[in-house]
Amino acid sequence: MEKSELSTRDRMCSVAGGMAGLLVDREIPSRLIPFRGEFPLLDMIEAIRFREAIRSTMWIEDLPPKFLYAAAEGSRIARLEREFRHYLSRNGLKSGDFEKLEDAEKSEWLQRWMEADSVSADDLVVKKYRDEATPVSKSLGDPAMPVAEKREIYDDLVARRAYWDDLCFEFGRVSWEKKLLNLALYIHYGGDLEVVLARYKENHPDYADRIPHSLAYYISYLRTGEATSVLNNFLLERVCLSESRLTALLTAELRERLEEVFRWDGGTNSAWTVGIDYRGEEKMDEIVT
């Protein structure tokens, strides 16, 4: 992979978008490197929507054009500053001490770094997004990622205790909505929950008994907006569905509920969401009444 390309990990919104999200609305993007261009990359309202978008999107190439551009340019700025900080550190100079130098000394350090790391003057020029014809930064590389590669990433993600052991600390650190969306996208990209659970049991045999409980929680949350509800108890204690039946039911629910939603800019790019019936239990009570 060439230096200018982003790795698979770096194309994830949580990585590239996270780095860019810290500076897309800054008038001066870096205190160390004198980037030239029109700043900020996004105005205040756009920056808020950008941060909302990167929280609900997996890959930066799935963002709307303007946000994709900001993510690519913003993460490029952040990576260049990080590389410059590393260069200063390797040469015994802290970034805080660099900021105190005279302009002439700063220029010398920058020139030496640019020569050492093959950074050109053009790399320090940042242009604002104009329209859909504006090219995305070369750092994005080839945005086309095979479905199998996306599936592998989700496969590693959803095979953790945070998804299947409701008694572990990590389980509560990921929201129900986020876990359900990741499980739905894993299935969407060709994944099989039976395969994931079989592998999970091999790796975590001591916690395998919690799988049926987690499956019932997920189904309950999809249908009622609550993990523990009358439905949860019904599945586990009244009809006593087997783990395989619960897995099949959850798979069917996630396939049915995964939806694409339009972006804020009205473009053709879409975000993913899982339809959750937050009034489900209330509706059941009304039917019973």
Side-chain angles (χ1 to χ4, degrees):
M1 184 181 75
E2 294 183 5
K3 182 179 177 181
S4 64
E5 294 180 347
L6 286 182
S7 66
T8 296
R9 177 181 177 276
D10 287 338
R11 290 216 305 275
M12 297 175 72
C13 274
S14 58
V15 179
M19 290 192 295
L22 298 174
L23 51 82
V24 291
D25 53 354
R26 287 187 189 174
E27 295 287 348
I28 300 175
S30 172
R31 294 184 302 175
L32 303 179
I33 301 174
F35 289 100
R36 301 188 304 279
E38 303 170 88
F39 302 106
L41 287 169
L42 300 173
D43 64 33
M44 183 177 67
I45 299 301
E46 290 172 333
I48 293 172
R49 291 177 174 173
F50 174 82
R51 293 181 183 114
E52 291 173 352
I54 63 175
R55 283 195 295 268
S56 63
T57 309
M58 190 71 171
W59 311 106
I60 62 172
E61 57 261 28
D62 291 334
L63 292 168
K66 189 169 187 177
F67 289 173
L68 168 60
Y69 184 84
E73 281 293 272
S75 60
R76 183 175 70 84
I77 292 170
R79 285 196 309 278
L80 285 171
E81 181 173 292
R82 182 182 60 198
E83 290 167 6
F84 184 48
R85 287 179 185 274
H86 289 168
Y87 175 82
L88 294 175
S89 178
R90 290 196 307 270
N91 288 275
L93 185 64
K94 295 180 181 179
S95 57
D97 294 332
F98 171 82
E99 293 183 54
K100 298 174 184 176
L101 297 177
E102 297 293 332
D103 289 346
E105 293 178 282
K106 288 181 179 179
S107 180
E108 290 178 7
W109 277 98
L110 281 164
Q111 288 297 327
R112 289 197 294 268
W113 163 65
M114 292 171 70
E115 291 172 5
D117 284 18
S118 300
V119 177
S120 71
D122 289 340
D123 291 329
L124 305 187
V125 177
V126 180
K127 296 180 180 179
K128 226 173 181 181
Y129 179 87
R130 296 299 182 193
D131 52 44
E132 293 198 19
T134 306
V136 174
S137 166
K138 291 187 298 181
S139 64
L140 183 60
D142 180 7
M145 181 184 298
V147 169
E149 191 173 341
K150 290 185 177 182
R151 183 172 63 246
E152 283 181 24
I153 291 173
Y154 279 103
D155 183 70
D156 291 335
L157 185 66
V158 303
R160 302 173 182 176
R161 286 183 65 193
Y163 282 74
W164 307 110
D165 181 5
D166 62 306
L167 299 181
C168 77
F169 173 72
E170 294 86 350
F171 192 86
R173 298 185 65 181
V174 184
S175 70
W176 291 104
E177 287 82 1
K178 187 64 175 176
K179 285 189 283 196
L180 287 165
L181 178 59
N182 288 338
L183 287 166
L185 287 171
Y186 169 67
I187 293 168
H188 174 72
Y189 291 126
D192 187 334
L193 284 187
E194 291 278 8
V195 174
V196 164
L197 292 176
R199 182 156 61 90
Y200 176 82
K201 291 175 188 176
E202 291 181 9
N203 296 332
H204 306 285
D206 295 338
Y207 310 109
D209 62 319
R210 302 309 303 176
I211 291 175
H213 296 271
S214 298
L215 289 166
Y217 289 145
Y218 286 135
I219 295 167
S220 174
Y221 200 90
L222 284 169
R223 293 189 177 185
T224 70
E226 297 288 342
T228 303
S229 69
V230 293
L231 178 59
N232 167 267
N233 294 328
F234 180 78
L235 293 172
L236 289 176
E237 298 176 13
R238 295 291 297 275
V239 294
C240 301
L241 288 185
S242 66
E243 181 183 310
S244 61
R245 294 287 298 277
L246 288 168
T247 303
L249 180 56
L250 177 60
T251 298
E253 289 276 355
L254 290 172
R255 282 201 178 111
E256 180 69 23
R257 293 171 181 271
L258 183 65
E259 302 173 351
E260 286 185 285
V261 294
F262 287 111
R263 299 288 190 181
W264 299 275
D265 67 349
T268 57
N269 287 319
S270 301
W272 293 103
T273 187
V274 173
I276 297 171
D277 190 351
Y278 292 101
R279 291 190 62 246
E281 192 162 20
E282 182 182 335
K283 291 176 183 176
M284 284 191 285
D285 289 340
E286 290 173 357
I287 293 172
V288 171
T289 302

